[in-house]
Amino acid sequence: MENTQVKQPLNSMASKIAQIDELCKKAKILPVITIAREQDVLPLADALAAGGLNALEITLRSEFGLKAIRMLRDARPELSVGAGTILDRHMLKAAEEAGSQFIVTPGSTQDLLEAGAQSELPLLPGISSASEIMIGYALGYRRFKLFPAEISGGVGAIKALGGPFPEVRFCPTGGVSAANLKNYMAQPNVMCVGGTWMIDNAWVKSGDWGRITDATAEAIALFD
């Protein structure tokens, strides 16, 4: 019979869970960033860092995603830079090669979860149901991104999922804003949130970095 056991990396799943916990403890908010222009990469990162966000999720939704990760890892080594919108193992490999320090996915497939289990990088898989959690759980995952959070039941869903999955912690993303942030963070099984509300596209396009810094600082202040 063929052995289908997933080969575990030197960096164990327990170690990667600890890395995600530490990342979320420091970050509190993971800004979900899609780069439309290469010229925005560094000033946007600097604006977010000035407001208090030092962990950035750079999505691969645009042609500049991988290049932005490389630029930030080279020019801003003090930041934690991860890759988001990873859809398959090929994108995962490209993100690893670009220097990503963590991986975030919008959903979960068996193949992608297995690739993440084999990777040296911590992976935060996206889920929207108990069944998806169970697939990841079987491979050792205990930290998940609830996406899209509000459409998938929001705070109510997180409370309900806490019953059958007491070890699981969530990073809700999608519909999270300054208006409902405190409701999410009040849940004991929420470790951080993902959001975009502090990165208004109009501010980025006009280079209004000060407004992004102010919005970021206001978001961080909600945790006080």
Side-chain angles (χ1 to χ4, degrees):
M1 185 190 308
E2 182 182 359
N3 185 355
T4 58
Q5 184 177 1
V6 177
K7 181 181 178 181
Q8 293 297 316
L10 294 177
N11 189 7
S12 70
M13 188 65 79
S15 173
K16 290 187 281 189
I17 290 171
Q19 289 177 59
I20 291 175
D21 286 346
E22 185 63 23
L23 175 72
C24 283
K25 182 179 179 180
K26 290 181 178 179
K28 299 180 181 177
I29 302 172
L30 279 178
V32 182
I33 303 167
T34 299
I35 299 295
R37 302 180 303 188
E38 183 179 334
Q39 69 200 53
D40 296 330
V41 175
L42 295 182
L44 175 56
D46 290 342
L48 291 167
L53 293 180
N54 296 306
L56 312 178
E57 177 190 334
I58 307 297
T59 74
L60 301 196
R61 299 178 190 178
S62 80
E63 61 182 300
F64 302 107
L66 291 173
K67 187 167 188 178
I69 292 169
R70 294 189 188 97
M71 289 175 63
L72 290 168
R73 294 288 287 126
D74 180 58
R76 300 294 186 269
E78 70 277 11
L79 300 178
S80 295
V81 181
T85 320
I86 299 299
L87 306 180
D88 56 40
R89 66 169 60 235
H90 304 294
M91 293 177 74
L92 172 59
K93 183 178 181 182
E96 289 175 327
E97 293 174 348
S100 297
Q101 293 166 287
F102 60 93
I103 302 294
V104 186
T105 75
S108 299
T109 66
Q110 185 74 28
D111 186 61
L112 181 54
L113 290 173
E114 289 180 358
Q118 296 162 13
S119 172
E120 291 296 312
L121 297 181
L123 184 147
L124 186 65
I127 59 90
S128 61
S129 70
S131 295
E132 290 169 301
I133 294 174
M134 290 174 69
I135 294 171
Y137 198 95
L139 291 170
Y141 291 92
R142 298 294 184 270
R143 304 294 182 261
F144 297 91
K145 177 176 83 168
L146 179 66
F147 178 80
E150 280 290 281
I151 294 174
S152 301
V155 170
I158 287 171
K159 288 180 178 179
L161 291 168
F165 304 108
E167 296 178 63
V168 168
R169 299 291 180 269
F170 298 99
C171 173
T173 306
V176 180
S177 68
N180 59 22
L181 172 64
K182 286 190 174 182
N183 292 334
Y184 278 104
M185 291 307 301
Q187 308 311 310
N189 54 347
V190 169
M191 54 187 178
C192 60
V193 301
T196 60
W197 73 91
M198 72 293 294
I199 315 171
D200 188 285
N201 286 333
W203 301 343
V204 175
K205 190 173 182 180
S206 63
D208 196 347
W209 310 118
R211 290 189 73 177
I212 292 175
T213 294
D214 290 344
T216 300
E218 290 169 5
I220 292 295
L222 294 173
F223 290 86
D224 296 336

